[in-house]
């Protein structure tokens, strides 16, 4: 039995295919080198105490009193810690054990930005709890699956992209519920630009739906084109042709704009990033605000970062990462 | 013989299909209610004196000395009056007459903005000179043809869109050199937003070419989609469904962005116009700066105009116009 475990798992960005994925087209997501870290310690009683000092959040529950789908109604759990509670529950169930734990969450993945921050926390929590209680490092597949259960209960119907990529690292191609892993041929820098403009994913998805219904001969072919472009992007990712990847990102951005999901706040950061020498830039996720991403050579990262900040965005430097969930230390 | 003639002819905007028209797809242009006005008077000698007080430009040449393709090398003609000189020459040739004329040009069409200002001046000049020398009002077809000759000599290989629409008014569908007239079902307001950013049409056309060559399975389908969208737009123009026209303009804008011919200066004005209640907004012409256009109900025109000005554009209010070249007065 291990007394203290530190596990970490990466966030992700969607590189190609958001929105079109809803219509059965492929999408590509890649892990980034920003991670959630979870520290798990055994307590010796039946209390689970969760703290997220970054967010000034705390939660706790008593394993003797309840461990069921209803625990949220017995204990006051802040919204953003609910998936952690579920991750603990599914992990304990998987071990068929009841042990009190102290759990501390830290993350350098900006939350609520479509970067998979929630799934990363769930993945790291499952891995850390599993290791702490059994002494074994669970396989990525098992970790991903349990984290998916935790996400599912909290988020309704997640796609499975976020937990998969966070558990495995690297890239994935996601299409019609099938997830295929993707090796990326070389290293590249990424800057994420947060517009700080809030948006409703649901509204944006339904706007795309209305365009496709009203103009089926235009909207649906745009969706299909995003699919073709995504597959072209996959080929270029495999060979590390990031200039090509960037050009395809730019085209993808225009097609998303044609579907009505771009926003002036995104245009500002996107054009600024391209001007500053990025290979390409596009919105990432639902659009309508939210985040954009830019790809660039490492030597251009500073320029692009500054250009995004100068244009009113919050810039987050990162890079592709092949590293999935890891148990980083134990003592 | 008429001593003094005032003729006027409208400018135009491209509503759908720029860039794709180069690849054989249809484009739609419509006349606007901004016009060039040309006053022609007989002098009684063999001098032709041209003045454009708006532009503080003057030019003159002696019909006895030369009337040939070389007159530009004999007489110092400012670049922006060359098409007027040619329009006078082709009109005199068409009448088989040599008469000295005073010609005064005025225009409320912003020049060098893709609004067909040059063709409007040529069309109005031909009509005014024809009427002045023969007493007859030439048919639109003849005026358009002669103005096209004048434009051709000065501009190389014009498409014929500008002179046609300026001579006939209303709308046209242009495809592979064929021009079909288009009746527009109702009245609507337009605001043109000039980004004041200069661009090279040639560079933008060759950028689109490079996208289509590098990504034929993506670039060319985008071109074809702009073609389908243009035909859909034609149907909605005929029935006066300007909300639909606006939505299609928004989609067309995204597809142009996907081809790499948009610009932040355009995005700023386009999003501002939409936010202010326009039916739709897009770049018009080559892109990369230059002008955008927005369609709106007359009661929304002021809002949109102000929004474009607030976003750094020079806003020009206008409207569709069915009125082609007219000889407005004579004495």
């Amino acid at each position: 039995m291990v007394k203290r475990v530190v596990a970490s798992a990466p966030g992700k960005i969607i590189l190609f295919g958001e929105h079109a994925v809803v219509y059965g087209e492929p999408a590509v997501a890649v892990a980034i080198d920003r991670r959630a870290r979870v520290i798990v310690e055994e307590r010796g009683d039946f209390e689970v105490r969760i703290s997220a000092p970054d967010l000034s959040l705390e939660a706790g529950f008593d394993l003797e009193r309840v461990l069921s789908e209803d625990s949220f109604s017995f204990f006051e759990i802040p919204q953003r810690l609910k998936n952690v509670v579920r991750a603990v529950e599914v992990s304990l169930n998987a071990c068929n054990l009841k042990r009190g734990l102290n759990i501390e969450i830290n993350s350098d993945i900006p939350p609520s930005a479509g970067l998979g921050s929630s799934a990363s926390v769930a993945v790291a929590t499952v891995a850390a709890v599993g290791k702490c209680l059994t002494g074994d490092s669970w396989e990525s597949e098992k970790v991903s699956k349990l984290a998916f259960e935790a996400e599912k209960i909290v988020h309704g119907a997640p796609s499975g992209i976020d937990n998969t990529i966070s558990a495995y690292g690297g890239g994935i191609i996601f299409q019609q519920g099938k997830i295929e892993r993707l090796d990326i041929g070389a290293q590249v820098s990424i800057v994420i630009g947060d517009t700080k403009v809030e948006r409703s994913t649901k509204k944006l998805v339904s706007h795309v739906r209305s365009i496709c219904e009203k103009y089926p001969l235009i909207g649906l072919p745009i969706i299909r084109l995003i699919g073709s472009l995504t597959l072209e992007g996959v080929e270029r990712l495999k060979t590390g042709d990031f200039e090509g990847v960037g050009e395809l990102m730019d085209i993808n951005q225009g097609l998303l704009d044609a579907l009505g999901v771009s926003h002036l706040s995104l245009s500002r950061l996107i054009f600024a990033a391209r001007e500053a020498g990025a290979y390409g830039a596009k919105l990432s996720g639902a659009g309508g605000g939210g985040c954009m991403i830019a790809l660039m050579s490492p030597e251009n990262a500073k320029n692009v970062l500054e250009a995004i900040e100068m244009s009113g965005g919050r810039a987050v430097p990162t890079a592709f990462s092949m590293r999935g969930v890891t148990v980083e230390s134990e003592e």
Side-chain angles (χ1 to χ4, degrees), chain A:
Chain A
M1 209 100 67
V2 181
K3 293 282 180 231
R4 187 172 186 268
V5 173
V6 184
S8 75
K12 68 104 195 11
I13 51 171
I14 296 182
L15 207 52
F16 294 113
E18 50 273 271
H19 284 288
V21 75
V22 176
Y23 298 80
E25 296 297 327
V28 170
V30 295
I32 54 177
D33 68 359
R34 300 207 150 236
R35 303 174 73 85
R37 283 178 187 77
V38 175
I39 305 168
V40 173
E41 283 176 325
E42 272 211 68
R43 287 172 58 93
D45 60 10
F46 293 99
E47 279 285 317
V48 175
R49 308 291 322 165
I50 301 168
S51 67
D54 296 352
L55 306 172
S56 308
L57 288 176
E58 290 201 349
F61 61 101
D62 180 351
L63 293 172
E64 288 194 302
R65 275 197 54 200
V66 68
L67 185 65
S68 77
E69 306 245 336
D70 293 307
S71 41
F72 293 162
S73 47
F74 285 87
F75 304 98
E76 270 191 34
I77 311 288
Q79 187 58 34
R80 284 162 80 174
L81 294 183
K82 284 187 176 173
N83 69 326
V84 184
V85 170
R86 287 303 186 202
V88 172
E89 289 176 352
V90 296
S91 303
L92 291 170
N93 282 343
C95 303
N96 207 15
L97 283 172
K98 259 189 202 187
R99 293 278 157 74
L101 300 165
N102 286 330
I103 295 173
E104 188 185 310
I105 315 284
N106 291 288
S107 176
D108 57 12
I109 307 166
S112 308
L115 302 176
S117 138
S118 154
S120 310
V121 169
V123 163
T125 302
V126 167
V129 172
K131 177 76 175 180
C132 185
L133 295 183
T134 67
D136 296 333
S137 289
W138 287 346
E139 304 259 302
S140 297
E141 193 184 340
K142 179 171 184 173
V143 172
S144 174
K145 222 168 155 179
L146 292 173
F148 181 68
E149 291 308 312
E151 288 282 287
K152 207 162 63 176
I153 297 167
V154 180
H155 292 294
S159 64
I161 294 179
D162 290 8
N163 53 285
T164 304
I165 204 144
S166 188
Y168 287 96
I172 60 163
I173 309 165
F174 177 85
Q175 186 168 24
Q176 296 183 319
K178 275 185 218 141
I179 290 170
E180 190 187 318
R181 299 193 56 214
L182 169 68
D183 273 339
I184 292 163
Q187 200 42 261
V188 72
S189 291
I190 298 167
V191 177
I192 299 163
D194 188 343
T195 62
K196 303 178 242 174
V197 173
E198 286 189 29
R199 78 288 184 220
S200 151
T201 299
K202 209 172 143 187
K203 265 195 201 164
L204 291 157
V205 168
S206 96
H207 179 77
V208 172
R209 173 81 53 197
S210 75
I211 295 270
C212 290
E213 280 170 2
K214 191 159 178 190
Y215 306 104
L217 298 179
I218 299 157
L220 291 173
I222 293 174
I223 297 284
R224 301 296 159 241
L225 257 176
I226 293 176
S228 310
L229 180 152
T230 299
L231 295 179
E232 182 91 34
V234 165
E235 290 315 304
R236 289 171 196 262
L237 281 168
K238 283 180 185 165
T239 59
D241 169 14
F242 292 118
E243 262 181 59
V245 171
E247 287 176 333
L248 291 163
M249 287 169 69
D250 290 349
I251 299 175
N252 197 163
Q253 166 60 25
L255 296 176
L256 287 163
D257 183 51
L259 293 174
V261 298
S262 194
H263 190 271
L264 179 56
S265 63
L266 287 163
S267 289
R268 282 206 188 96
L269 308 192
I270 287 166
F271 280 109
R274 292 178 189 162
E275 191 87 2
Y279 294 132
K282 64 183 274 291
L283 69 85
S284 182
C291 284
M292 53 72 72
I293 51 170
L295 242 66
M296 76 266 348
S297 62
E299 53 272 23
N300 254 332
K302 194 166 162 278
N303 276 348
V304 173
L305 192 119
E306 285 171 0
I308 288 173
E309 292 275 357
M310 291 282 287
S311 300
R314 184 166 35 227
V316 179
T318 184
F320 280 165
S321 173
M322 293 306 291
R323 197 156 62 103
V325 64
T326 49
V327 177
E328 285 180 336
S329 71
E330 49 196 89
E331 54 192 55

